[in-house]
Amino acid sequence: MFKILVWLAGTMVMTGTVIAQGKVEIDTSTWSTQPGVIGTVLLSVLVLVVLAYLMVVRLNKLMNVSEKVKWTNEREDLKSDLINLEREEVDELLERRKKAGLYRLRGNEIGGELNFKDEKGLIRKITKSPHNPLVDDKKSGKLKVETDDRLIRLIIAYVVAAAFWLIFGTLIGQYLGMKFVWPEMDQQPWLSFGRLRPVHTNTVFWGWASLGMLGLGYFVVSRTSNRSIFSYKLGWWTFYLINACVVLGNIALMNGLNNGGGEYREYIWPVMLLFAIGLILALINIYKTISLRNTVEIYISNWFILAALTWTTVLAIIGYLPFYQEGLGETVIQGYYMHQGVGMWFMTFTLGLVYYYLPASLNKPIYSYSLGVLAFWTQMLFYTLIGTHHFVFSPLPWWLQTVAIVFSAGMFIPVLAGTTNFMMTMKGSRKAIEDSYVLPFMLVGVIFYFVGSTQGSFQAFRFTNYIWHFTDFNVAHSHMTMYGIICFFLWGGMYSLLPKLTRKEPNQLAVGMHFWFAFIGLVIYMFSLMIGGTEKGMSWVDGQPFIDSVRLMAPYWLWRAVGGSLMFISHLVFGYNLYQMVNGYRIGRKRNTKIVKVKKDEYARFS
Amino acid sequence: MLDFHKNHQLLLVTILTIFVVLSLFIAVFPAFQLQENNAPLPAEQPMTSEELRGMHLFISEGCVACHTQQVRGIEMDKIWGQRPSMPSDYYYSKKRMDFWRQSPSLLGSERTGPDLTNVGQRQPGDQWHLLHLYNPRSVVEGSIMPSYPWLFDHVDNVREGQIVLEVPKSFKAGPGKVVATQEVLDLVAYLKSLKQTSIPVLETTFIPAVGKDQRKGETDELLPDGAMVYANNCAACHQGNGEGVAGAFPPLAGSSIVNDEDPQVMIQIILQGYDARPDYGQMPPFADLLTDEEIAVLVNHERSSWGNNAPKVSTDLVRQIREMVNKTQK
């Protein structure tokens, strides 16, 4: 703690010149040498490198050149051998080959004539297809996790509802993206852009990501505390309340009833109150579970999960209380709420999940507990203070803007700590990542955690704000983070957990499709908007007529729609995979639970 | 002592306390201070009930998703207002809407469409706003703003007092005549009320960033570009091709006033505005918005484009006409 405070003081002194100035000189002729711009370009290159690397690994398997060369050589060797043979030797060889060709296996060479019975249910899957590099089988997860049936039902309900909101929310997003290309697609009031945009954002935030996180979180807390969840009833209440919030909120938004337009705060307070109550119930539930844990130490994941629930409860209350929200006071709260909604809820909770699911998928411990703790405290100190960086140059107090910029730069510390921790955990596991259908999601999540968060810090600088603020660059950034980080981590967690609970694996070809469509779609999406956003910003700097900046975006908006379509298709595939994993498992709360005495051999099957 | 990893109670209390303290420091106290220490500018007008209803419609249709209302203290925002926005600018508009909804977020976060801080100054005519809301592409080719036809009625018989909109045929969304509803009239009243209250002392020195014009100004004299002045101020109504919109805005291409040897009437209209022809929308005055240099290059651009061919005018002539106009007005 002390070290952190010393560091903080140092940062404040170093940036003292910025604080002292009430004005800033901006010279756009040097834009290409600005640290914020250079940093962003480097980060973008990093994403492309990772994409290229993963594709090359895959393609390499597909077209293994050395394999072909070896085969050709052998064929040539055989040819020359044959030419050198005597006539009798050739006849003998042909005779032997003919015999071998007529030989047929009877099918009982190993097992004999008796019928085969797999009495202990050891055989799960019989593969007859030949080796195919494109759809090469990845390793199945270890299908053995003893879990309370009530917890499994709860988790499945959360994940299925989350997936529903993902598909619904991104269908809306897809529709909105197309409206940029064809503005007159419809003329219905409840489908108009202004009303649907908050439906898209709120659905994927409060519906998809929040439910997905909580579902995966209940398992982590129960598992690492080595006991069952404190109260399943509370878990179900949270589930009902959050879903009700999203349903009612969206109906209100489509009817033109919103809370005054603040981003992610569009649900009116009675609707958001449902979410807040759900959150408080989850907090009680998870805190109780942790306090009754059967371990001495609190696992690092639980620090993050507990903190996310605590902070977001405070956030929801501060965001909606009316005492200080008139005039520009509302805008101060908006900057705080909007950014902390992402930072203290989604980012913090998801990091908690990664600290469990990443090492669990690799079957090894997290690299450093201490780095996790450092990331935890710095996340709290820095992230809380940076919301106003969305209002740089605005009428909000200059000191508030400066604090936000300084601490945005400070965000490098938790981000580097987290990224290092995850990368070091994955170090030496290249084979494991290639053989797993879960870990590529985690890897992409980690890369975007680094790239997206660092880019956010760069964007906070005054110069980069000058060029990029108000442009589509921000839309690219929010998708890099909420999609690249949060969604990929959640998918990784879901693909890792659900087969262990339900003993059903998804079709691996479909998982691959989900991964590649989402990843390539996101890359197209973010690059089109980053390049277009920069051009737009430069056009404004040049003082071009505004409508020109709208026209110049047309091709980039088209590319955005292409990328968005790929992302949306991947969600449909994800929905199919989820169906494969939970099919046959009764979703929902079990009403009349009968206790059935399990026979001895059945018990052996499931333990 | 600090055994956070074993003591869940200590962990919870610590993270809660620190977060609440930080939040009070960064959000609640500054917000409270801004709410309390805020007064309207001397020249600022309170909102009428019509404008207030219009603002509520503006919010409920989600216009803030694409339109900001904040002029920033940097070069690129010069076109949106005379000075950067300040807290007082939002004094009347940012009151709690009702019991269910808090005070509106008007500053916005994205400019997919233009900033609206000063739109009432740039577009003071009803007709333009109504046509633009009915279908933006009928006045701004290339606009991607949604149409709002549900804010209008399509009727066969126009009742007395109803405002009829002359919509070009290809843009009509229904049969009969198009009339404005009270809702859209409220919205237009609100948009027209968006005019930046001026504070003369601050205007010239307030923009801190060093922009292209200032840097160039050090080396060579830079005259404004007539085509650009036209695009920023006139094209919204008279269109980029100078042909106007039939029934709403008269054409400049081939216009006898524009092609007149004597530019006096044309310059007077630009300075004072024009509302003599009932078959067209009203033209706002540009005397306060454009300098003599800008008007001169603009007039020359209009007199030499789209087949127009009339002699050029000088900045001096514009200055003389302005002085004359000022005298007659007094």
Side-chain angles (χ1 to χ4, degrees):
Chain A
M1 275 298 274
F2 178 66
K3 273 185 192 166
I4 294 167
L5 288 176
V6 170
W7 183 87
L8 260 177
T11 324
M12 300 289 270
V13 172
M14 277 188 328
T15 50
T17 44
V18 182
I19 296 167
Q21 281 176 347
K23 292 179 175 186
V24 59
E25 296 255 311
I26 287 172
D27 183 353
T28 46
S29 62
T30 62
W31 72 275
S32 57
T33 55
Q34 286 288 333
V37 178
I38 293 174
T40 306
V41 171
L42 290 179
L43 291 174
S44 313
V45 171
L46 180 62
V47 174
L48 286 182
V49 167
V50 172
L51 175 69
Y53 170 75
L54 290 176
M55 288 180 109
V56 166
V57 168
R58 202 91 285 266
L59 286 175
N60 194 31
K61 277 198 165 177
L62 192 63
M63 300 186 283
N64 203 326
V65 179
S66 68
E67 199 77 8
K68 267 190 191 165
V69 171
K70 203 175 139 199
W71 190 72
T72 317
N73 287 345
E74 276 175 7
R75 200 175 51 183
E76 292 303 318
D77 287 349
L78 183 67
K79 244 193 224 168
S80 61
D81 281 353
L82 282 174
I83 290 166
N84 294 334
L85 286 179
E86 297 293 324
R87 198 180 169 78
E88 292 79 35
E89 285 178 312
V90 175
D91 286 346
E92 199 191 316
L93 205 65
L94 280 175
E95 197 62 34
R96 280 215 315 257
R97 194 66 214 142
K98 203 170 152 191
K99 248 185 186 170
L102 289 170
Y103 182 75
R104 290 280 178 272
L105 280 174
R106 290 194 311 266
N108 59 1
E109 276 75 8
I110 298 172
E113 305 270 331
L114 298 170
N115 280 338
F116 167 74
K117 270 188 204 153
D118 178 21
E119 283 177 357
K120 300 209 164 158
L122 296 175
I123 296 173
R124 292 260 167 248
K125 189 180 176 189
I126 299 168
T127 309
K128 288 178 182 165
S129 61
H131 204 67
N132 181 343
L134 186 63
V135 290
D136 200 4
D137 264 13
K138 301 221 173 193
K139 270 190 191 140
S140 313
K142 280 201 205 63
L143 302 182
K144 257 164 82 180
V145 171
E146 274 179 72
T147 310
D148 189 338
D149 194 47
R150 289 174 296 173
L151 182 59
I152 299 179
R153 284 174 190 285
L154 187 71
I155 292 171
I156 290 178
Y158 270 83
V159 173
V160 168
F164 170 78
W165 288 123
L166 174 71
I167 291 170
F168 174 77
T170 51
L171 176 69
I172 303 276
Q174 166 79 359
Y175 191 66
L176 290 176
M178 285 158 75
K179 282 192 165 220
F180 280 81
V181 185
W182 300 287
E184 300 213 50
M185 282 175 69
D186 69 77
Q187 305 217 317
Q188 298 300 320
W190 52 280
L191 287 178
S192 81
F193 185 88
R195 293 193 195 180
L196 276 190
R197 182 186 185 252
V199 174
H200 166 64
T201 50
N202 285 291
T203 303
V204 293
F205 272 35
W206 312 126
W208 148 245
S210 301
L211 285 173
M213 283 176 352
L214 282 166
L216 292 173
Y218 281 124
F219 180 81
V220 174
V221 174
S222 153
R223 188 84 177 156
T224 56
S225 300
N226 202 12
R227 60 152 289 141
S228 61
I229 289 292
F230 170 69
S231 160
Y232 290 105
K233 211 171 165 187
L234 283 182
W236 281 105
W237 269 109
T238 302
F239 176 79
Y240 297 137
L241 285 166
I242 290 182
N243 278 301
C245 163
V246 181
V247 171
L248 294 175
N250 283 346
I251 292 174
L253 288 180
M254 285 170 125
N255 282 295
L257 179 62
N258 64 48
N259 183 43
E263 274 169 328
Y264 322 139
R265 206 164 43 143
E266 287 97 341
Y267 289 169
I268 53 171
W269 69 260
V271 170
M272 204 55 189
L273 187 64
L274 301 177
F275 189 89
I277 295 171
L279 213 56
I280 292 169
L281 296 184
L283 174 60
I284 295 170
N285 203 0
I286 281 174
Y287 177 71
K288 280 282 187 188
T289 310
I290 293 172
S291 64
L292 297 170
R293 70 190 177 280
N294 288 318
T295 59
V296 179
E297 301 197 343
I298 307 168
Y299 184 65
I300 189 72
S301 286
N302 298 341
W303 290 47
F304 279 86
I305 292 173
L306 189 66
L309 288 160
T310 313
W311 295 339
T312 314
T313 306
V314 175
L315 195 67
I317 294 169
I318 290 183
Y320 278 85
L321 280 184
F323 319 125
Y324 33 75
Q325 300 215 12
E326 289 199 0
L328 276 203
E330 186 274 338
T331 305
V332 177
I333 300 296
Q334 174 60 23
Y336 163 84
Y337 178 90
M338 162 169 62
H339 213 275
Q340 267 64 270
V342 176
M344 315 322 280
W345 178 230
F346 299 109
M347 207 57 247
T348 304
F349 202 117
T350 306
L351 285 177
L353 297 178
V354 177
Y355 279 108
Y356 174 80
Y357 286 103
L358 179 69
S361 305
L362 285 163
N363 199 18
K364 60 162 137 169
I366 191 83
Y367 170 69
S368 162
Y369 199 96
S370 312
L371 264 182
V373 172
L374 172 73
F376 178 82
W377 292 115
T378 46
Q379 167 107 353
M380 175 180 69
L381 279 175
F382 298 158
Y383 223 134
T384 313
L385 300 174
I386 66 181
T388 315
H389 74 203
H390 284 270
F391 292 97
V392 172
F393 298 124
S394 79
L396 294 191
W398 193 262
W399 71 266
L400 207 60
Q401 302 177 26
T402 305
V403 167
I405 295 170
V406 169
F407 284 92
S408 300
M411 276 303 290
F412 283 121
I413 295 182
V415 170
L416 277 176
T419 310
T420 310
N421 214 354
F422 301 145
M423 290 308 276
M424 291 307 280
T425 307
M426 287 194 279
K427 196 184 163 203
S429 305
R430 201 180 66 105
K431 187 80 183 110
I433 294 172
E434 272 180 32
D435 285 349
S436 159
Y437 59 83
V438 174
L439 288 165
F441 284 97
M442 294 288 187
L443 177 66
V444 170
V446 172
I447 298 298
F448 273 108
Y449 176 51
F450 177 69
V451 172
S453 308
T454 320
Q455 190 202 45
S457 301
F458 284 137
Q459 266 181 282
F461 296 160
R462 285 209 167 86
F463 181 84
T464 36
N465 244 281
Y466 181 43
I467 304 278
W468 286 329
H469 196 45
F470 294 150
T471 71
D472 295 74
F473 201 99
N474 291 339
V475 185
H477 175 67
S478 65
H479 283 80
M480 273 169 85
T481 47
M482 274 307 289
Y483 197 87
I485 307 173
I486 308 291
C487 294
F488 273 84
F489 277 145
L490 290 185
W491 286 323
M494 288 171 188
Y495 282 129
S496 147
L497 176 63
L498 286 176
K500 289 181 186 164
L501 299 182
T502 64
R503 300 180 168 78
K504 285 184 175 173
E505 300 245 344
N507 179 331
Q508 293 191 355
L509 180 61
V511 177
M513 275 170 67
H514 173 192
F515 175 79
W516 286 107
F517 281 7
F519 191 16
I520 294 173
L522 175 61
V523 169
I524 294 174
Y525 190 107
M526 63 180 249
F527 273 96
S528 58
L529 290 190
M530 279 165 67
I531 297 168
T534 308
E535 279 197 26
K536 196 186 210 181
M538 298 303 271
S539 145
W540 291 346
V541 172
D542 280 349
Q544 300 295 322
F546 185 84
I547 192 72
D548 285 6
S549 71
V550 177
R551 289 208 185 93
L552 78 84
M553 284 301 295
Y556 301 110
W557 281 329
L558 184 64
W559 276 107
R560 179 252 290 273
V562 171
S565 305
L566 285 177
M567 287 149 84
F568 179 64
I569 293 169
S570 85
H571 302 163
L572 294 178
V573 179
F574 165 63
Y576 170 76
N577 292 341
L578 188 61
Y579 172 76
Q580 296 268 307
M581 288 190 281
V582 302
N583 180 23
Y585 221 92
R586 229 197 69 192
I587 303 170
R589 199 171 163 188
K590 210 170 188 174
R591 301 278 166 200
N592 307 312
T593 317
K594 267 191 265 171
I595 297 174
V596 182
K597 199 161 186 316
V598 180
K599 285 178 195 155
K600 222 177 183 181
D601 57 335
E602 276 181 20
Y603 179 77
R605 255 184 87 182
F606 288 109
S607 58
Chain B
M1 185 187 68
L2 294 176
D3 52 349
F4 294 113
H5 60 300
K6 287 180 187 160
N7 187 340
H8 49 267
Q9 205 172 357
L10 181 68
L11 182 66
L12 182 76
V13 171
T14 310
I15 55 177
L16 180 65
T17 313
I18 298 181
F19 186 71
V20 168
V21 169
L22 288 175
S23 299
L24 289 174
F25 160 72
I26 200 69
V28 177
F29 291 153
F32 193 70
Q33 207 189 5
L34 269 174
Q35 175 183 284
E36 295 301 304
N37 295 328
N38 193 3
L41 294 168
E44 208 171 331
Q45 298 297 317
M47 296 177 92
T48 65
S49 60
E50 194 184 20
E51 289 163 5
L52 196 64
R53 286 199 304 272
M55 188 191 73
H56 284 197
L57 189 68
F58 182 86
I59 288 295
S60 81
E61 291 295 340
C63 306
V64 283
C66 298
H67 294 284
T68 56
Q69 279 186 40
Q70 52 169 319
V71 177
R72 307 196 300 163
I74 53 181
E75 181 71 13
M76 65 156 93
D77 280 22
K78 263 186 170 173
I79 189 171
W80 304 125
Q82 302 297 311
R83 57 170 174 86
S85 300
M86 51 207 317
S88 311
D89 289 337
Y90 308 92
Y91 182 82
Y92 290 114
S93 57
K94 297 198 87 172
K95 296 280 175 197
R96 195 171 175 88
M97 293 169 77
D98 51 35
F99 179 70
W100 306 106
R101 296 171 299 166
Q102 65 192 31
S103 59
S105 268
L106 289 170
L107 274 72
S109 62
E110 222 192 314
R111 283 180 185 158
T112 306
D115 185 272
L116 298 182
T117 304
N118 218 4
V119 72
Q121 196 79 256
R122 290 199 302 275
Q123 298 293 352
D126 279 328
Q127 193 78 4
W128 186 88
H129 280 294
L130 290 171
L131 259 183
H132 186 249
L133 285 165
Y134 183 81
N135 187 326
R137 279 151 296 285
S138 70
V139 283
V140 182
E141 193 198 349
S143 168
I144 59 155
M145 183 172 132
S147 307
Y148 293 88
W150 61 89
L151 296 179
F152 296 84
D153 285 329
H154 295 90
V155 296
D156 291 329
N157 301 312
V158 180
R159 275 182 285 120
E160 209 187 304
Q162 278 185 322
I163 294 175
V164 183
L165 199 60
E166 291 299 333
V167 183
K169 230 179 196 162
S170 55
F171 291 104
K172 270 182 86 172
K177 300 239 180 212
V178 181
V179 294
T181 60
Q182 189 54 45
E183 278 183 307
V184 79
L185 293 175
D186 293 342
L187 181 57
V188 170
Y190 171 65
L191 293 170
K192 279 167 63 187
S193 77
L194 292 173
K195 290 178 183 164
Q196 206 177 31
T197 316
S198 67
I199 322 167
V201 194
L202 290 171
E203 271 172 22
T204 48
T205 54
F206 218 63
I207 292 187
V210 180
K212 200 181 66 176
D213 292 357
Q214 281 155 281
R215 284 200 311 279
K216 274 194 181 161
E218 288 160 14
T219 50
D220 55 286
E221 202 61 40
L222 190 87
L223 264 182
D225 175 6
M228 194 100 94
V229 177
Y230 180 82
N232 284 331
N233 296 286
C234 320
C237 293
H238 296 290
Q239 306 300 303
N241 57 12
E243 282 172 11
V245 176
F249 312 111
L252 300 178
S255 153
S256 58
I257 293 177
V258 176
N259 283 304
D260 195 339
E261 287 271 312
D262 180 3
Q264 189 177 336
V265 177
M266 178 182 183
I267 293 171
Q268 246 179 300
I269 288 176
I270 293 173
L271 287 168
Q272 293 182 299
Y274 193 64
D275 193 22
R277 291 176 64 176
D279 48 338
Y280 285 123
Q282 172 200 355
M283 160 122 174
F286 283 87
D288 296 338
L289 298 174
L290 301 176
T291 63
D292 294 339
E293 286 86 8
E294 284 171 328
I295 292 181
V297 292
L298 169 66
V299 167
N300 290 334
H301 171 74
E302 291 179 5
R303 282 158 82 89
S304 60
S305 304
W306 324 298
N308 290 349
N309 193 8
K312 295 208 163 190
V313 302
S314 67
T315 308
D316 270 343
L317 182 69
V318 178
R319 191 177 304 128
Q320 284 166 22
I321 295 176
R322 191 194 283 268
E323 278 165 12
M324 187 199 77
V325 166
N326 286 347
K327 264 185 212 155
T328 50
Q329 273 178 344
K330 277 168 195 164

